[in-house]
Amino acid sequence: MNALLVTVTLAASALGATIRDRTCGATSSVVNKTTCNGVSYEYQELAGYGYVASDAVDKFGDTLGGLGSSLHLESGAWKKLDNGSYSGVLWSLPDRGWNTQGTLNFNPRVHKFNIVFTPKPDATVAKPSGPNVYFQYLDTILFSGPDGTPCTGLDADATGHLSFPGFPDLPAATYTGDGFGGDGPGGKRIPVDAEGLYVNDDSSFWVSDEYGPYIYLFGADGKMLAAIRPNDAIVPIRNGETSFSANSPPHYIDNGEGNDVDPADPDSGRDNNHGFEGLTVSEDGKSLWVLLQAAAVQDGGLDKQTSRYTRFLKYDVSDKLAPTYEGEWVVPLPLYNDPTAKKSKNPKVAAQSEILALENGQFFVLSRGSDAGHGTENTLSVYRQIDVFDIAGATDVKAAGGYDCSDCNVAKVKSGELKKNITPATYCSFLDFNVNAELNRFGVHNGGDQDQYLLNEKWESLGMVPVNPSAPNGEFYVFSLSDNDFITQKGFMNGGKFPYSDGSGYSLDSQALVFKIRISA
C-alpha cells in the first residue's frame, strides 16, 4: 500500500496558569509552572498538531483507528536533523477495534510509524501553523496467544478461562461464526482490550489490558510469551467466582445492546472498562508499573464521584518471562466540576488514561473528564491534563498487608473515602490540553464548533523525547495521540471484508498533540 503521510499538532496549559498572549507574536514566557515534591515542571508551549485520517487503513485492510490508546517512542531512533527538524519511530496501540455498537472479533495489534517533526515556535493565533509532524505508516503486527491463535477484541466470557502451560488462567471469549456476524466455525480466543504499551530493546512488547485486567508480553512476531495476573483485589469477581466479562456484548447480537452478564458490574475488582489503562517501564527495562483507570469496585469504583483512589502496582521484570510483584500504592485522582451535571453529581473524578515513568522517580499521568469533545454532545472539556504524581512517602499497601484479597479495600465502598492508615501518592496538577491560546496557534480548539479541528474526547497516550538528543538538558517534547474509537463513515474490519459506518454519523480523525516542557530539580 502507499505510504500514509499524516501530521501532528500540540495543545497545552494548566489550571491556575497565567496564560501568555500569543495572539500576534512569539514570547519567551511559559504557559504554566508547577513544583511537585521539589521538582519543577514548565509547560513552555504547544509545539505541534496533526492527525491520521479517519478512513486510513493498515496493511491488512482494516481501519487505522484507535491509535491513541497508547504509544511508544523509540529513544534510540530519535534524531535531530541538520535542517532543525526531528525524525523518529513511533509505535501506536489501538484497543479492541470498532466497538461503539458492540464488540467484534478484531485481532488486537500494534502499528509502527516513521515520524518527522518540524517545530514552529513562531506560530501565533493570528498566523497559525499548519500541521508540522508527519507520520509515515510502516507496519502492523497482530497479537496471538501462546498457541498462535489470534487474540480478539470481543468481550470475555462471564465464566471460564483458557489454560496454557506456564501461564495463569487466561480470559476466554467464545464466538459464533466468524465473530463478525458472518459464517464461520466459531471458537474461543484470548480477549485483549489493549491500553498500555512498552517496546523492549529486543522488540518484544509489554501490553496492559482492561478485560483481565492482565499484563501481557508479546514477542516481536506478536505471539504471547508471558502473562501477569494481578492480585485478587483487582481481578473481577461476580457471584463468588472470577468473571472477566466487561459487559460488552458482540455487535452480531442486537448491535451490542443489552447486558451479556449478570450482574452487569462486578462485585469486586476492576470495574467494567476500568482496567490497566496505564502502563510504563523504567528506562533500564527492569521495572514495570500499571495503574487502574479508576478505583476498584470495592474501593468506591462504581460511581464517578467516589472512584478517586486507584491502585498503582510495580513488578520486577528483569527476567521478562518470570516477573515478580514488588509493590502497590494508592494514587488520588483529581476532581473536577462538570458544568453539564447537577450540583449533587459534582465534583466528579477525572479517570486516568496513561502513565509515563520519569527519570527522577516521579510519574506523568494523563487524567481527563469524559463525554466532551469532537463527536460528543458537549464540545467543551473542562479537565484534560498531564499531571504528576510521586509515591515517595506513600504507603506501600502490599508491604503493609491486608489489602490484596478479593474483598479487601483501600477506600470505603460507598463513600470512596480513603482509609486513614494509608498515605496516598502526592498528586500535582500540571499541563492542561485545553488552553485555546495555545491550541489556536495550530488552528485547533476546545469547545465551540463541532468540526474536525475540535479536540477529540479521548486522549490516552504519552511519549517523551529530548529537545536536544545529543546532549539532553531537561527540555522535552511530549507526544499524545487521541483514541477516536474507530469512528468513521468509511470503516473496515476483518481484513477489509467487514465494512461499517458508525451510527453517530461522525468521522473522527486520530489527532495528535506535541508539548514542549522543561523538568528541573
Side-chain angles (χ1 to χ4, degrees):
M1 84 180 242
N2 293 331
L4 172 68
L5 293 181
V6 295
T7 50
V8 167
T9 321
L10 99 72
S13 149
L15 293 180
T18 299
I19 305 302
R20 57 185 175 176
D21 182 2
R22 297 294 291 269
T23 304
C24 298
T27 174
S28 60
S29 63
V30 300
V31 181
N32 183 66
K33 295 181 180 180
T34 194
T35 300
C36 195
N37 277 359
V39 180
S40 297
Y41 295 86
E42 293 182 359
Y43 169 31
Q44 296 181 336
E45 66 174 1
L46 180 62
Y49 159 82
Y51 62 92
V52 176
S54 66
D55 60 355
V57 296
D58 65 21
K59 72 178 187 180
F60 297 103
D62 291 340
T63 293
L64 198 59
L67 301 181
S69 287
S70 192
L71 70 83
H72 177 92
L73 289 165
E74 290 189 6
S75 59
W78 182 248
K79 309 291 183 185
K80 188 171 185 179
L81 307 178
D82 291 341
N83 64 0
S85 296
Y86 296 83
S87 66
V89 173
L90 182 147
W91 293 86
S92 168
L93 185 78
D95 48 18
R96 56 184 175 177
W98 179 56
N99 66 97
T100 63
Q101 294 163 225
T103 53
L104 293 166
N105 195 17
F106 172 79
N107 195 156
R109 62 197 66 191
V110 64
H111 303 297
K112 185 178 184 180
F113 295 90
N114 270 336
I115 58 173
V116 176
F117 165 53
T118 303
K120 298 289 184 180
D122 294 330
T124 65
V125 174
K127 294 182 178 181
S129 169
N132 60 337
V133 179
Y134 300 87
F135 286 60
Q136 181 185 28
Y137 172 78
L138 295 178
D139 199 11
T140 298
I141 297 172
L142 304 177
F143 293 146
S144 62
D147 62 351
T149 301
C151 296
T152 182
L154 287 165
D155 191 15
D157 297 341
T159 59
H161 60 269
L162 290 170
S163 298
F164 299 94
F167 284 77
D169 291 342
L170 300 179
T174 304
Y175 64 95
T176 60
D178 65 357
F180 291 87
D183 294 336
K188 285 182 181 288
R189 295 182 176 182
I190 300 168
V192 176
D193 185 2
E195 296 291 353
L197 173 69
Y198 183 84
V199 184
N200 294 301
D201 290 341
D202 63 1
S203 298
S204 61
F205 306 92
W206 286 113
V207 173
S208 63
D209 153 79
E210 290 214 282
Y211 283 140
Y214 275 28
I215 305 157
Y216 297 111
L217 177 68
F218 294 98
D221 60 355
K223 185 176 181 179
M224 188 180 294
L225 303 177
I228 300 174
R229 178 186 173 109
N231 66 62
D232 290 343
I234 290 172
V235 174
I237 301 294
R238 285 184 180 88
N239 304 315
E241 60 183 325
T242 300
S243 177
F244 293 115
S245 171
N247 193 30
S248 300
H251 174 77
Y252 62 80
I253 299 178
D254 298 327
N255 269 355
E257 295 292 334
N259 298 325
D260 65 355
V261 65
D262 183 30
D265 293 302
D267 301 314
S268 66
R270 65 101 182 105
D271 191 19
N272 297 333
N273 303 310
H274 277 71
F276 287 139
E277 187 79 20
L279 174 146
T280 189
V281 175
S282 60
E283 188 176 11
D284 62 9
K286 295 181 179 180
S287 297
L288 179 151
W289 294 269
V290 285
L291 183 64
L292 282 178
Q293 185 169 5
V297 170
Q298 71 274 18
D299 298 331
L302 291 183
D303 191 289
K304 289 184 177 181
Q305 292 182 274
T306 61
S307 58
R308 185 179 189 191
Y309 293 102
T310 190
R311 295 176 183 241
F312 181 58
L313 282 66
K314 180 183 180 182
Y315 293 87
D316 181 345
V317 292
S318 300
D319 181 349
K320 291 193 285 292
L321 297 180
T324 57
Y325 176 33
E326 282 204 331
E328 181 182 19
W329 299 265
V330 176
V331 175
L333 296 173
L335 302 174
Y336 71 100
N337 284 316
D338 179 354
T340 68
K342 297 178 180 178
K343 184 176 181 181
S344 62
K345 296 297 183 181
N346 277 315
K348 293 182 177 180
V349 174
Q352 70 84 22
S353 294
E354 185 63 293
I355 54 175
L356 184 66
L358 305 176
E359 292 181 10
N360 59 26
Q362 296 181 350
F363 299 86
F364 278 157
V365 56
L366 202 171
S367 297
R368 59 178 179 82
S370 59
D371 302 322
H374 191 197
T376 68
E377 184 176 345
N378 180 29
T379 66
L380 182 68
S381 166
V382 298
Y383 203 101
R384 186 187 282 140
Q385 294 199 180
I386 300 171
D387 295 328
V388 187
F389 71 87
D390 190 343
I391 59 173
T395 302
D396 180 347
V397 296
K398 176 185 182 295
Y403 296 100
D404 282 355
C405 64
S406 60
D407 58 354
C408 294
N409 57 348
V410 297
K412 296 179 180 179
V413 64
K414 291 186 177 181
S415 68
E417 180 183 354
L418 186 66
K419 290 191 171 181
K420 293 181 179 179
N421 57 337
I422 297 175
T423 300
T426 300
Y427 195 100
C428 306
S429 177
F430 176 39
L431 188 156
D432 183 0
F433 281 50
N434 293 334
V435 176
N436 277 316
E438 289 297 307
L439 294 174
N440 295 169
R441 295 174 49 240
F442 290 86
V444 291
H445 59 96
N446 174 48
D449 293 341
Q450 185 71 254
D451 58 32
Q452 70 182 97
Y453 306 108
L454 174 66
L455 290 190
N456 288 343
E457 173 198 3
K458 297 181 179 181
W459 294 82
E460 301 184 356
S461 56
L462 293 174
M464 190 168 76
V465 285
V467 171
N468 188 349
S470 61
N473 60 0
E475 286 189 321
F476 299 93
Y477 291 116
V478 178
F479 284 70
S480 184
L481 275 64
S482 67
D483 173 9
N484 70 345
D485 280 336
F486 293 79
I487 293 175
T488 178
Q489 299 307 297
K490 190 179 178 181
F492 296 93
M493 295 277 118
N494 196 22
K497 294 178 290 187
F498 178 84
Y500 71 89
S501 176
D502 191 82
S504 68
Y506 286 103
S507 290
L508 304 184
D509 297 329
S510 294
Q511 300 169 332
L513 300 173
V514 185
F515 309 93
K516 187 179 181 183
I517 68 167
R518 175 182 287 277
I519 304 175
S520 56

